């Protein structure tokens, strides 16, 4: 197992991993035009001012500013999924909605971090997903460079295609944070997306859409 001390966070590596995963999905069922690539300088709507109510660090906001996103269809209530029954967040649109008063950060936290986790997620950790109450929560840690999958299925956690990170969160995290981290499956961020790709290749993941 890779040791936590051997993993470092890189914004560029994180952005590249997300882009590579979306490219992978485009070869299966996403249209290439569904993937939105940030302009030079990042998404202008994603600012610390617009998202200050999330209580996240400057690095989290910078990461969100440079991530690619999946376009939300304008003419249907069906949303594209980037894993079965899993909608990835579009922080570009979410931040814009906050700026015009169409949403607020409290709503965004509930949709992205879930009611059962949001009080225990530190400022340097952000969710990659956002949806209804049963949407999976997938989290990036911008200090440790790992991705957490709370609620990871046992068959994936017990026999992962990429090795889990070896660490004990109780050694360094606050108790309320360590509890969910210890229960989650955790990988280095690039490995995390390779796990998801492997589930598609094995047909454990199939293309599904749901009404939200």
């Amino acid at each position: 197992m890779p040791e936590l001390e051997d993993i470092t966070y890189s914004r560029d590596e994180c952005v590249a991993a997300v882009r590579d995963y979306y490219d992978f999905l485009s070869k299966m069922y996403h249209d290439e035009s569904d993937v939105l690539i940030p302009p030079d300088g990042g998404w202008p709507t994603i600012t610390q001012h617009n998202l200050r109510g999330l209580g996240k660090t400057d690095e989290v906001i910078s990461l969100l500013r440079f991530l690619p996103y999946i376009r939300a269809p304008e003419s249907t209530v069906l949303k594209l999924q980037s894993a079965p029954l899993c909608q990835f967040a579009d922080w570009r649109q979410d931040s814009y909605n906050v700026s015009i008063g169409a949403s607020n950060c409290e709503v965004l936290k509930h949709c992205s971090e879930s009611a059962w986790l949001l009080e225990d997620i530190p400022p340097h950790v952000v969710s990659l997903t956002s949806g209804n109450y049963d949407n999976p929560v997938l989290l990036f840690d911008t200090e440790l460079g790992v991705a957490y999958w709370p609620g990871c299925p046992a068959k994936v956690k017990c026999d992962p295609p990429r090795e889990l990170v070896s660490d004990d969160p109780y050694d360094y995290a606050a108790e309320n944070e360590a509890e969910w981290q210890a229960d989650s499956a955790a990988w280095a961020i690039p490995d995390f997306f390779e796990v998801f790709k492997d589930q598609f290749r094995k047909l454990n993941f199939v293309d599904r859409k749901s009404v939200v």
Side-chain angles (χ1 to χ4, degrees):
M1 288 186 175
E3 297 291 334
L4 181 62
E5 62 186 17
D6 296 326
I7 297 172
T8 58
Y9 168 74
S10 164
R11 186 196 308 164
D12 289 343
E13 184 178 69
C14 185
V15 170
V18 175
R19 175 68 185 273
D20 179 70
Y21 181 63
Y22 288 165
D23 286 345
F24 172 82
L25 296 182
S26 294
K27 292 178 174 65
M28 294 191 301
Y29 63 92
H30 279 186
D31 290 333
E32 288 186 13
S33 60
D34 293 330
V35 182
L36 304 175
I37 305 303
D40 292 342
W43 300 110
T45 61
I46 299 181
T47 65
Q48 186 65 259
H49 174 76
N50 287 343
L51 296 179
R52 63 185 181 277
L54 293 179
K56 299 301 182 181
T57 63
D58 289 343
E59 180 53 42
V60 162
I61 303 304
S62 293
L63 171 62
L64 299 182
R65 188 175 174 88
F66 287 95
L67 285 178
Y69 294 105
I70 299 297
R71 185 193 309 276
E74 298 179 358
S75 59
T76 176
V77 294
L78 292 176
K79 294 187 177 181
L80 287 172
Q81 297 182 353
S82 297
L85 301 179
C86 181
Q87 297 163 14
F88 277 35
D90 181 353
W91 289 104
R92 168 197 61 94
Q93 185 64 47
D94 288 339
S95 189
Y96 173 75
N97 289 342
V98 170
S99 73
I100 64 172
S103 185
N104 60 65
C105 288
E106 182 177 356
V107 170
L108 298 186
K109 283 182 70 70
H110 276 84
C111 290
S112 62
E113 297 180 352
S114 81
W116 63 280
L117 276 178
L118 64 88
E119 296 296 332
D120 299 320
I121 295 178
H124 59 272
V125 174
V126 67
S127 178
L128 184 65
T129 58
S130 181
N132 57 25
Y133 69 95
D134 59 354
N135 196 64
V137 176
L138 307 175
L139 301 165
F140 282 176
D141 190 317
T142 63
E143 287 189 353
L144 301 180
V146 301
Y148 300 101
W149 187 357
C152 176
K155 63 181 180 181
V156 178
K157 191 173 182 180
C158 295
D159 186 24
R162 294 293 178 102
E163 289 187 313
L164 294 162
V165 174
S166 175
D167 78 314
D168 184 354
Y170 287 96
D171 289 341
Y172 56 83
E175 185 173 355
N176 63 318
E177 298 170 12
E179 185 174 354
W180 67 261
Q181 290 178 17
D183 288 340
S184 301
W187 290 271
I189 289 173
D191 287 345
F192 169 78
F193 288 105
E194 293 304 319
V195 170
F196 268 57
K197 290 180 188 178
D198 184 73
Q199 295 304 297
F200 276 109
R201 294 185 181 111
K202 291 179 177 177
L203 301 183
N204 294 331
F205 280 0
V206 293
D207 177 21
R208 302 174 65 180
K209 294 184 174 75
S210 63
V211 177
V212 179

